[in-house]
Amino acid sequence: MREAHPSERAVGIDHYVSDGDGTGGKFRTRPEDFRVRELETGEFEPLDADPNAYPHLVFRATLENWDTNDFASALSSQLEMSRERIDWAGTKDKRAVSTQLFSVRAGSDALDDIDLRGATIDLVGRAGRGLRFGDLAGNAFEIVVREADTESVERITESLRSFAGNEDGNAGDTNGEDGTTVGVPNYFGQQRFGSYRPVTHEVGLAVVRDDWREAVLAYVGRPHESEPEATREARAFVDSEATAAGTADWEAALDRYPRQLGFERSMLHRLVENGGESSDDFRAALETVPSNLQRLFVNAAQSYLYNRILSARLDQGLPFDRAVAGDVVCFADSEAPDGLALPDPDRSQRVPENRVETVNRHTARGRAFVTAPLVGTETELANGEPGAIERAILDEEGIEPSLFDLPGEFHSTGTRRAILLTTDLSIEDDPLTFAFQLPKGSYATVLLREYLKSEPTAMR
């Protein structure tokens, strides 16, 4: 197998499953080259209803060049309300045109005077509760790669068809509306860990290990080469203060920090207020960031461990499209939209030796999916070879499920996640354009990296 780029290996992605060179090309040359539209579940149905009985206003926003968190912050400023009153189902990348649902606890005319450049808002209705993260079935993508060398496209597609379980390995017709079914390891993409500065999993791992000081320093310190010089200098000063003898000068660190780095500054403010010496001081600093970001830290740690488990499974030659004895499989969500295979991790079972053949009849039909753990307090690991892989990775990282019994938003019970990502892919030339749908929580760049083989910084 072809080895991944070093920055991918740093987040647990060790391999490509297709060999040889890729297409290269320019990715996200303009926002409209990356279009993503949420596929709604039908379970969250806004109504034309009384605001007193249904306090949440639901709207669909089409955003150009907006990060979801940044849009929520800008919207809350215009509404003069707490950002915590705005909810959404899924986070989208900034350099894109994205269409997604939001909800806000507000009156029906609250959005009438909103004016945010690059944002189009359409009211949908009202709901008795706000959106929850994950209140979507998946996403539909249309992605353009410019100045690509398309000579390798058919060969890569053949490899990905084979990985998906198409034994003939015939790429078929990759053009047109019908597409062809391809598969890749269902890695968490680089964005999960920070596209420009991948440290969220390091923060989360420190939290899980009950090292709150290390968690804060991983987020506030640790300069990265992709950042502006002033930011690098501020982070380097934090690192030097943290390692110096005596009490760190957090106020001096705060003075050096660029104004636009609000989350880091809020942590430093709290350290200045509390003294910044005890573990509780550092935990309080980390808790100054929004609740969804607190959850993201631990989620990123889980994602990193999961990525490492998938890479180890590839190393050992275990299949992704079918189960082996000891695997844990989950079954398909019967409520998923047509054409979208949506695994339901709440319906899972271990696979004993005498059930492998029966279970694999279901995996072949897209009714069952092999899984790996997103480790939490209620995680039950697999048995056999898959279980040995899972335990070995956790041992290497010094992690066990009970450590996720954490305070507040950091707590996680865990779940499992399908290890194979399949989709019906349509490809067009001139320019090279990919169209496909993915279930929620899966990353378009995990598929596209197999085609481009570019350094991840080129796929931001």
Side-chain angles (χ1 to χ4, degrees), residues 191-219:
Q191 310 97 294
R192 181 69 157 187
F193 311 97
S195 295
Y196 290 90
R197 184 172 167 264
V199 298
T200 52
H201 64 299
E202 295 178 10
V203 179
L205 288 169
V207 168
V208 175
R209 294 171 182 141
D210 196 32
D211 190 343
W212 298 94
R213 183 178 189 276
E214 173 64 18
V216 170
L217 295 179
Y219 195 76

mmCIF file of all heavy atoms in Angstrom, residues 191-219:
data_model
loop_
_atom_site.group_PDB
_atom_site.id
_atom_site.type_symbol
_atom_site.label_atom_id
_atom_site.label_comp_id
_atom_site.label_asym_id
_atom_site.label_seq_id
_atom_site.Cartn_x
_atom_site.Cartn_y
_atom_site.Cartn_z
ATOM 1 N N GLN A 191 -9.954 17.714 8.485
ATOM 2 C CA GLN A 191 -10.720 18.809 9.074
ATOM 3 C C GLN A 191 -11.147 18.505 10.503
ATOM 4 O O GLN A 191 -11.357 19.418 11.305
ATOM 5 C CB GLN A 191 -11.972 19.107 8.249
ATOM 6 C CG GLN A 191 -11.729 19.274 6.770
ATOM 7 C CD GLN A 191 -11.997 17.997 6.010
ATOM 8 O OE1 GLN A 191 -11.295 17.003 6.175
ATOM 9 N NE2 GLN A 191 -13.006 18.013 5.156
ATOM 10 N N ARG A 192 -11.320 17.235 10.810
ATOM 11 C CA ARG A 192 -11.748 16.843 12.155
ATOM 12 C C ARG A 192 -10.745 17.305 13.213
ATOM 13 O O ARG A 192 -11.108 17.546 14.370
ATOM 14 C CB ARG A 192 -11.880 15.319 12.205
ATOM 15 C CG ARG A 192 -12.341 14.730 13.530
ATOM 16 C CD ARG A 192 -13.787 15.084 13.809
ATOM 17 N NE ARG A 192 -14.403 14.152 14.728
ATOM 18 C CZ ARG A 192 -15.685 14.145 15.035
ATOM 19 N NH1 ARG A 192 -16.489 15.034 14.467
ATOM 20 N NH2 ARG A 192 -16.188 13.265 15.872
ATOM 21 N N PHE A 193 -9.502 17.431 12.808
ATOM 22 C CA PHE A 193 -8.422 17.704 13.754
ATOM 23 C C PHE A 193 -7.883 19.123 13.638
ATOM 24 O O PHE A 193 -6.983 19.510 14.381
ATOM 25 C CB PHE A 193 -7.296 16.696 13.533
ATOM 26 C CG PHE A 193 -7.789 15.276 13.479
ATOM 27 C CD1 PHE A 193 -8.033 14.651 12.266
ATOM 28 C CD2 PHE A 193 -8.049 14.579 14.650
ATOM 29 C CE1 PHE A 193 -8.513 13.342 12.210
ATOM 30 C CE2 PHE A 193 -8.529 13.277 14.607
ATOM 31 C CZ PHE A 193 -8.765 12.664 13.385
ATOM 32 N N GLY A 194 -8.438 19.894 12.690
ATOM 33 C CA GLY A 194 -7.966 21.246 12.430
ATOM 34 C C GLY A 194 -7.241 21.288 11.100
ATOM 35 O O GLY A 194 -6.132 20.761 10.978
ATOM 36 N N SER A 195 -7.860 21.895 10.100
ATOM 37 C CA SER A 195 -7.288 21.866 8.750
ATOM 38 C C SER A 195 -5.932 22.539 8.678
ATOM 39 O O SER A 195 -5.040 22.100 7.954
ATOM 40 C CB SER A 195 -8.255 22.546 7.763
ATOM 41 O OG SER A 195 -9.452 21.810 7.670
ATOM 42 N N TYR A 196 -5.752 23.632 9.411
ATOM 43 C CA TYR A 196 -4.501 24.376 9.351
ATOM 44 C C TYR A 196 -3.555 24.011 10.499
ATOM 45 O O TYR A 196 -2.346 24.103 10.359
ATOM 46 C CB TYR A 196 -4.783 25.886 9.381
ATOM 47 C CG TYR A 196 -5.418 26.374 8.110
ATOM 48 C CD1 TYR A 196 -6.804 26.400 7.959
ATOM 49 C CD2 TYR A 196 -4.635 26.785 7.033
ATOM 50 C CE1 TYR A 196 -7.381 26.839 6.779
ATOM 51 C CE2 TYR A 196 -5.204 27.228 5.853
ATOM 52 C CZ TYR A 196 -6.589 27.248 5.737
ATOM 53 O OH TYR A 196 -7.163 27.670 4.570
ATOM 54 N N ARG A 197 -4.120 23.612 11.611
ATOM 55 C CA ARG A 197 -3.303 23.318 12.791
ATOM 56 C C ARG A 197 -3.946 22.128 13.507
ATOM 57 O O ARG A 197 -4.783 22.293 14.395
ATOM 58 C CB ARG A 197 -3.252 24.553 13.693
ATOM 59 C CG ARG A 197 -2.360 24.415 14.917
ATOM 60 C CD ARG A 197 -2.220 25.755 15.624
ATOM 61 N NE ARG A 197 -1.632 25.582 16.937
ATOM 62 C CZ ARG A 197 -2.327 25.476 18.071
ATOM 63 N NH1 ARG A 197 -3.634 25.564 18.056
ATOM 64 N NH2 ARG A 197 -1.714 25.309 19.228
ATOM 65 N N PRO A 198 -3.601 20.916 13.115
ATOM 66 C CA PRO A 198 -4.295 19.722 13.621
ATOM 67 C C PRO A 198 -3.890 19.358 15.048
ATOM 68 O O PRO A 198 -3.013 18.517 15.279
ATOM 69 C CB PRO A 198 -3.880 18.639 12.623
ATOM 70 C CG PRO A 198 -2.545 19.075 12.115
ATOM 71 C CD PRO A 198 -2.578 20.578 12.100
ATOM 72 N N VAL A 199 -4.561 19.986 16.029
ATOM 73 C CA VAL A 199 -4.223 19.734 17.430
ATOM 74 C C VAL A 199 -5.433 19.356 18.281
ATOM 75 O O VAL A 199 -5.271 19.053 19.464
ATOM 76 C CB VAL A 199 -3.547 20.966 18.079
ATOM 77 C CG1 VAL A 199 -2.237 21.295 17.379
ATOM 78 C CG2 VAL A 199 -4.482 22.166 18.102
ATOM 79 N N THR A 200 -6.640 19.374 17.712
ATOM 80 C CA THR A 200 -7.815 19.139 18.556
ATOM 81 C C THR A 200 -7.769 17.766 19.213
ATOM 82 O O THR A 200 -8.203 17.600 20.359
ATOM 83 C CB THR A 200 -9.118 19.289 17.755
ATOM 84 O OG1 THR A 200 -9.048 18.476 16.579
ATOM 85 C CG2 THR A 200 -9.354 20.730 17.357
ATOM 86 N N HIS A 201 -7.225 16.762 18.517
ATOM 87 C CA HIS A 201 -7.138 15.435 19.128
ATOM 88 C C HIS A 201 -6.107 15.409 20.256
ATOM 89 O O HIS A 201 -6.269 14.663 21.230
ATOM 90 C CB HIS A 201 -6.800 14.383 18.075
ATOM 91 C CG HIS A 201 -5.472 14.542 17.416
ATOM 92 N ND1 HIS A 201 -5.132 15.652 16.680
ATOM 93 C CD2 HIS A 201 -4.368 13.732 17.405
ATOM 94 C CE1 HIS A 201 -3.900 15.512 16.229
ATOM 95 N NE2 HIS A 201 -3.412 14.373 16.658
ATOM 96 N N GLU A 202 -5.046 16.211 20.134
ATOM 97 C CA GLU A 202 -4.055 16.279 21.209
ATOM 98 C C GLU A 202 -4.679 16.893 22.456
ATOM 99 O O GLU A 202 -4.411 16.448 23.583
ATOM 100 C CB GLU A 202 -2.846 17.090 20.752
ATOM 101 C CG GLU A 202 -2.074 16.452 19.599
ATOM 102 C CD GLU A 202 -0.912 17.309 19.136
ATOM 103 O OE1 GLU A 202 -0.596 18.298 19.836
ATOM 104 O OE2 GLU A 202 -0.321 16.999 18.094
ATOM 105 N N VAL A 203 -5.515 17.915 22.262
ATOM 106 C CA VAL A 203 -6.247 18.497 23.389
ATOM 107 C C VAL A 203 -7.135 17.437 24.026
ATOM 108 O O VAL A 203 -7.145 17.247 25.245
ATOM 109 C CB VAL A 203 -7.093 19.704 22.934
ATOM 110 C CG1 VAL A 203 -7.870 20.282 24.109
ATOM 111 C CG2 VAL A 203 -6.219 20.782 22.296
ATOM 112 N N GLY A 204 -7.889 16.723 23.184
ATOM 113 C CA GLY A 204 -8.810 15.719 23.692
ATOM 114 C C GLY A 204 -8.119 14.576 24.403
ATOM 115 O O GLY A 204 -8.582 14.108 25.455
ATOM 116 N N LEU A 205 -7.004 14.102 23.873
ATOM 117 C CA LEU A 205 -6.267 13.019 24.530
ATOM 118 C C LEU A 205 -5.775 13.463 25.904
ATOM 119 O O LEU A 205 -5.803 12.687 26.876
ATOM 120 C CB LEU A 205 -5.089 12.575 23.659
ATOM 121 C CG LEU A 205 -5.453 11.787 22.393
ATOM 122 C CD1 LEU A 205 -4.226 11.646 21.491
ATOM 123 C CD2 LEU A 205 -6.018 10.413 22.736
ATOM 124 N N ALA A 206 -5.332 14.723 26.006
ATOM 125 C CA ALA A 206 -4.884 15.229 27.302
ATOM 126 C C ALA A 206 -6.045 15.299 28.292
ATOM 127 O O ALA A 206 -5.889 14.969 29.474
ATOM 128 C CB ALA A 206 -4.239 16.602 27.133
ATOM 129 N N VAL A 207 -7.225 15.718 27.810
ATOM 130 C CA VAL A 207 -8.406 15.758 28.670
ATOM 131 C C VAL A 207 -8.730 14.361 29.192
ATOM 132 O O VAL A 207 -8.975 14.155 30.390
ATOM 133 C CB VAL A 207 -9.613 16.346 27.918
ATOM 134 C CG1 VAL A 207 -10.909 16.125 28.699
ATOM 135 C CG2 VAL A 207 -9.415 17.834 27.652
ATOM 136 N N VAL A 208 -8.729 13.385 28.289
ATOM 137 C CA VAL A 208 -9.056 12.013 28.677
ATOM 138 C C VAL A 208 -8.050 11.492 29.701
ATOM 139 O O VAL A 208 -8.412 10.733 30.612
ATOM 140 C CB VAL A 208 -9.113 11.101 27.438
ATOM 141 C CG1 VAL A 208 -9.319 9.641 27.828
ATOM 142 C CG2 VAL A 208 -10.247 11.550 26.508
ATOM 143 N N ARG A 209 -6.807 11.909 29.572
ATOM 144 C CA ARG A 209 -5.771 11.471 30.516
ATOM 145 C C ARG A 209 -5.752 12.313 31.794
ATOM 146 O O ARG A 209 -4.849 12.187 32.611
ATOM 147 C CB ARG A 209 -4.403 11.538 29.831
ATOM 148 C CG ARG A 209 -4.248 10.550 28.673
ATOM 149 C CD ARG A 209 -2.970 10.808 27.915
ATOM 150 N NE ARG A 209 -2.821 9.918 26.775
ATOM 151 C CZ ARG A 209 -2.335 10.280 25.581
ATOM 152 N NH1 ARG A 209 -1.945 11.539 25.390
ATOM 153 N NH2 ARG A 209 -2.241 9.415 24.593
ATOM 154 N N ASP A 210 -6.746 13.207 31.944
ATOM 155 C CA ASP A 210 -6.893 14.058 33.127
ATOM 156 C C ASP A 210 -5.709 15.007 33.288
ATOM 157 O O ASP A 210 -5.317 15.362 34.401
ATOM 158 C CB ASP A 210 -7.047 13.192 34.391
ATOM 159 C CG ASP A 210 -7.585 13.989 35.579
ATOM 160 O OD1 ASP A 210 -8.372 14.933 35.351
ATOM 161 O OD2 ASP A 210 -7.195 13.689 36.722
ATOM 162 N N ASP A 211 -5.151 15.454 32.158
ATOM 163 C CA ASP A 211 -4.041 16.407 32.175
ATOM 164 C C ASP A 211 -4.548 17.717 31.577
ATOM 165 O O ASP A 211 -4.322 18.030 30.409
ATOM 166 C CB ASP A 211 -2.861 15.853 31.372
ATOM 167 C CG ASP A 211 -1.591 16.678 31.555
ATOM 168 O OD1 ASP A 211 -1.691 17.826 32.034
ATOM 169 O OD2 ASP A 211 -0.507 16.175 31.212
ATOM 170 N N TRP A 212 -5.258 18.503 32.388
ATOM 171 C CA TRP A 212 -5.911 19.716 31.906
ATOM 172 C C TRP A 212 -4.889 20.777 31.506
ATOM 173 O O TRP A 212 -5.121 21.545 30.562
ATOM 174 C CB TRP A 212 -6.857 20.258 32.972
ATOM 175 C CG TRP A 212 -7.951 19.281 33.289
ATOM 176 C CD1 TRP A 212 -7.961 18.353 34.286
ATOM 177 C CD2 TRP A 212 -9.175 19.111 32.561
ATOM 178 N NE1 TRP A 212 -9.124 17.613 34.232
ATOM 179 C CE2 TRP A 212 -9.886 18.062 33.198
ATOM 180 C CE3 TRP A 212 -9.745 19.739 31.471
ATOM 181 C CZ2 TRP A 212 -11.140 17.636 32.755
ATOM 182 C CZ3 TRP A 212 -10.994 19.329 31.017
ATOM 183 C CH2 TRP A 212 -11.674 18.291 31.652
ATOM 184 N N ARG A 213 -3.775 20.831 32.188
ATOM 185 C CA ARG A 213 -2.724 21.781 31.819
ATOM 186 C C ARG A 213 -2.208 21.491 30.415
ATOM 187 O O ARG A 213 -2.087 22.396 29.586
ATOM 188 C CB ARG A 213 -1.574 21.698 32.837
ATOM 189 C CG ARG A 213 -0.437 22.694 32.604
ATOM 190 C CD ARG A 213 0.627 22.556 33.700
ATOM 191 N NE ARG A 213 1.610 23.614 33.624
ATOM 192 C CZ ARG A 213 2.678 23.599 32.829
ATOM 193 N NH1 ARG A 213 2.890 22.545 32.036
ATOM 194 N NH2 ARG A 213 3.526 24.604 32.828
ATOM 195 N N GLU A 214 -1.914 20.239 30.129
ATOM 196 C CA GLU A 214 -1.439 19.852 28.809
ATOM 197 C C GLU A 214 -2.494 20.148 27.745
ATOM 198 O O GLU A 214 -2.167 20.558 26.631
ATOM 199 C CB GLU A 214 -1.079 18.368 28.806
ATOM 200 C CG GLU A 214 -0.732 17.793 27.436
ATOM 201 C CD GLU A 214 0.517 18.402 26.827
ATOM 202 O OE1 GLU A 214 1.322 19.018 27.561
ATOM 203 O OE2 GLU A 214 0.686 18.248 25.594
ATOM 204 N N ALA A 215 -3.764 19.951 28.091
ATOM 205 C CA ALA A 215 -4.837 20.213 27.133
ATOM 206 C C ALA A 215 -4.862 21.687 26.721
ATOM 207 O O ALA A 215 -4.956 22.016 25.532
ATOM 208 C CB ALA A 215 -6.183 19.804 27.733
ATOM 209 N N VAL A 216 -4.770 22.584 27.699
ATOM 210 C CA VAL A 216 -4.777 24.017 27.396
ATOM 211 C C VAL A 216 -3.540 24.414 26.603
ATOM 212 O O VAL A 216 -3.622 25.150 25.609
ATOM 213 C CB VAL A 216 -4.886 24.840 28.690
ATOM 214 C CG1 VAL A 216 -4.655 26.330 28.409
ATOM 215 C CG2 VAL A 216 -6.250 24.634 29.335
ATOM 216 N N LEU A 217 -2.378 23.910 27.006
ATOM 217 C CA LEU A 217 -1.141 24.282 26.304
ATOM 218 C C LEU A 217 -1.130 23.760 24.871
ATOM 219 O O LEU A 217 -0.586 24.404 23.963
ATOM 220 C CB LEU A 217 0.068 23.754 27.075
ATOM 221 C CG LEU A 217 0.291 24.371 28.459
ATOM 222 C CD1 LEU A 217 1.498 23.738 29.130
ATOM 223 C CD2 LEU A 217 0.449 25.883 28.358
ATOM 224 N N ALA A 218 -1.737 22.593 24.649
ATOM 225 C CA ALA A 218 -1.815 22.066 23.283
ATOM 226 C C ALA A 218 -2.636 22.983 22.385
ATOM 227 O O ALA A 218 -2.354 23.120 21.194
ATOM 228 C CB ALA A 218 -2.416 20.663 23.293
ATOM 229 N N TYR A 219 -3.641 23.640 22.969
ATOM 230 C CA TYR A 219 -4.502 24.515 22.169
ATOM 231 C C TYR A 219 -3.943 25.927 22.048
ATOM 232 O O TYR A 219 -3.972 26.530 20.976
ATOM 233 C CB TYR A 219 -5.904 24.577 22.788
ATOM 234 C CG TYR A 219 -6.931 25.160 21.842
ATOM 235 C CD1 TYR A 219 -7.433 24.404 20.790
ATOM 236 C CD2 TYR A 219 -7.387 26.466 21.988
ATOM 237 C CE1 TYR A 219 -8.351 24.932 19.911
ATOM 238 C CE2 TYR A 219 -8.318 27.006 21.110
ATOM 239 C CZ TYR A 219 -8.795 26.232 20.066
ATOM 240 O OH TYR A 219 -9.710 26.763 19.195
#
